[in-house]
Amino acid sequence: MKIASLVTAVLSGFAPSVFADDLNPTPGAGLPTEKYHYGMKVDVAKVLHRTDNTGKTGVVPVIVVYEDSLGEVHKLKYQEWGGRAQNS
């Protein structure tokens, strides 16, 4: 009986982390994604969220959610080189 209580206590401890994503959604989740094109003027005052590509190689998609100088939030998709070396 003690083992069952211990297992229940441990599993209950993980429950809040399962629901954390629902409480703190990714900024810009409901925004339409605009695709960057060469020469496009982008007014970025503050970056709110950016895709983490440090472990990826080659050209990979990035989504950045940012606030412009007027306080409006935008979501932009573009391509960049991943942060990991090709020979790693």
Side-chain angles (χ1 to χ4, degrees):
M1 189 67 167
K2 287 183 180 183
I3 292 176
S5 299
L6 180 62
V7 170
T8 302
V10 170
L11 292 177
S12 310
F14 290 117
S17 64
V18 172
F19 297 105
D21 289 338
D22 293 338
L23 298 174
N24 298 316
T26 302
L31 292 174
T33 304
E34 188 174 359
K35 189 174 180 182
Y36 177 80
H37 61 272
Y38 183 76
M40 182 177 177
K41 302 288 184 197
V42 183
D43 173 19
V44 179
K46 180 180 181 182
V47 174
L48 303 175
H49 177 75
R50 185 182 180 290
T51 305
D52 180 17
N53 287 329
T54 54
K56 298 181 180 174
T57 57
V59 178
V60 293
V62 173
I63 294 180
V64 64
V65 178
Y66 66 93
E67 192 174 285
D68 65 15
S69 60
L70 299 175
E72 295 180 15
V73 179
H74 303 270
K75 188 172 170 181
L76 186 67
K77 183 177 183 177
Y78 61 94
Q79 301 286 319
E80 77 172 12
W81 281 102
R84 187 172 174 184
Q86 203 75 0
N87 297 330
S88 294

